[in-house]
Amino acid sequence: MKNLLERKWLVIWMGCTLLWGCGTKEVYQSRVSQTPPPVVTQTEKKVVPEIPVQGWTKRTVTEDELTQACETDPELTVSRCKEILARLNAKAPYYISDDMRTGRIMKVPNDFRAYKNWTPLPVNIPEIHDIPRFILIDKENFFIGWYERGTLRGDTQICIGRKGEETLAGIYRVLEKDPDHYSRSYTNSYGRPAWMPWALRIYEVVWIHAGDITEPRCSHGCVTLPLDPAKELFNWADTGTLVMVIESMGDLQQDLKKHSQFMRSTKFSSR
């Protein structure tokens, strides 16, 4: 009898064990089935932003082309594109519209986006990091830049002396400042002394001043800037500020080394 009862309990226990195991499996499978399967979607193509390409081509350009260039970048406007053309071609921005209308060949960026912050001058010149104020004039690219302890603070396109009246390369300093200067050597179209506002004299009768930039070489030797940058530079510079005029950027390191003794012997303003 005892053995019979033990066998019955054994059968019942085995049955429960089997039912419990199967039940667990069913619950587990049920829970797994409720988990949503991963959604497989078509792999989206990665949009690689187009890199603006530097470089320019000599050709004509139209207003429609400038409008199309603006559509590629929200930071560009037709006016901004004309400023870029003015910087690249060393002339006042208001001449660019006339040049476009008459079909004049000029330097045109292959991609205007690459020239939004373009300058041909180095942003940093380590060799002059101890010089408070320094003006660099690049005759090859027709550009002027002003530096504070080796870091470029401002720049603009310029006009320099035409053939036979070249602006001379060399190391100078600001000898005189005159916000309302009139030339004693040259007259304007009306025969009156030529107005040269925001003027900084660097040697002899050669000044850095505001004026009309019709083309890269349009002066009698002076360095001519657009009005607003000329005023900014005038207010920034001190009497005694160093001015280096170079033939090309390829001469910069050589000229810095050549004139290093003069540069270090100059008394600088602490402003």
Side-chain angles (χ1 to χ4, degrees), residues 7 15 19 64 81 167 181 184 230 234 262:
R7 284 198 298 270
L19 288 173
D64 288 342
C81 286
T167 305
H181 183 70
R184 302 183 187 92
F234 179 90
F262 175 86

Side-chain angles (χ1 to χ4, degrees), residues 4-266:
L4 180 61
L5 290 172
E6 288 178 351
R7 284 198 298 270
K8 287 182 178 180
W9 278 110
L10 179 63
V11 170
I12 293 171
W13 178 81
M14 290 179 65
C16 290
T17 302
L18 290 171
L19 288 173
W20 180 81
C22 292
T24 303
K25 185 176 181 180
E26 289 174 359
V27 171
Y28 175 74
Q29 288 177 340
S30 175
R31 287 176 180 172
V32 171
S33 65
Q34 291 175 5
T35 303
V39 179
V40 180
T41 59
Q42 185 178 1
T43 304
E44 296 182 0
K45 293 182 180 180
K46 291 184 178 180
V47 179
V48 179
E50 185 181 348
I51 300 175
V53 180
Q54 280 216 0
W56 50 266
T57 307
K58 272 196 167 186
R59 59 183 178 85
T60 59
V61 63
T62 65
E63 291 278 353
D64 288 342
E65 184 176 342
L66 297 192
T67 301
Q68 291 175 5
C70 296
E71 294 174 354
T72 65
D73 192 320
E75 294 182 0
L76 287 175
T77 62
V78 172
S79 176
R80 181 75 183 106
C81 286
K82 288 181 180 180
E83 289 177 4
I84 291 171
L85 290 170
R87 284 171 65 87
L88 195 57
N89 290 276
K91 57 174 52 185
Y94 44 80
Y95 286 116
I96 297 299
S97 295
D98 291 338
D99 289 347
M100 292 171 60
R101 186 171 55 254
T102 58
R104 184 169 183 170
I105 293 175
M106 67 179 86
K107 296 177 183 177
V108 181
N110 297 330
D111 189 336
F112 277 89
R113 294 174 300 170
Y115 284 79
K116 289 188 297 183
N117 300 306
W118 173 82
T119 177
L121 304 180
V123 176
N124 291 288
I125 304 178
E127 292 84 353
I128 60 171
H129 73 277
D130 58 337
I131 298 177
R133 277 166 163 67
F134 182 89
I135 298 172
L136 178 65
I137 297 169
D138 176 10
K139 292 175 60 176
E140 180 183 38
N141 292 299
F142 307 103
F143 247 76
I144 185 172
W146 43 104
Y147 293 77
E148 290 181 10
R149 299 195 179 279
T151 300
L152 185 66
R153 295 304 183 192
D155 70 345
T156 187
Q157 69 271 31
I158 57 173
C159 145
I160 59 176
R162 57 174 66 96
K163 188 176 181 179
E165 297 178 293
E166 288 86 358
T167 305
L168 302 179
I171 185 74
Y172 311 103
R173 56 190 177 89
V174 175
L175 302 173
E176 184 180 351
K177 295 180 64 174
D178 187 351
D180 193 29
H181 183 70
Y182 284 85
S183 175
R184 302 183 187 92
S185 305
Y186 303 102
T187 58
N188 59 22
S189 302
Y190 302 98
R192 298 173 182 173
W195 187 38
M196 300 159 54
W198 310 116
L200 307 170
R201 187 168 71 87
I202 57 174
Y203 69 89
E204 299 175 357
V205 293
V206 173
W207 299 70
I208 301 170
H209 64 86
D212 189 25
I213 307 177
T214 58
E215 57 185 1
R217 295 182 179 273
C218 64
S219 80
H220 297 285
C222 288
V223 178
T224 309
L225 288 66
L227 182 60
D228 288 342
K231 181 179 180 180
E232 179 183 343
L233 176 59
F234 179 90
N235 292 330
W236 173 90
D238 297 314
T239 302
T241 296
L242 279 172
V243 180
M244 180 178 284
V245 182
I246 61 175
E247 294 290 346
S248 70
M249 287 307 305
D251 297 330
L252 178 58
Q253 295 301 318
Q254 177 182 331
D255 287 353
L256 286 170
K257 185 177 181 180
K258 177 182 176 182
H259 301 298
S260 61
Q261 186 173 356
F262 175 86
M263 290 161 53
R264 296 302 179 274
S265 65
T266 303

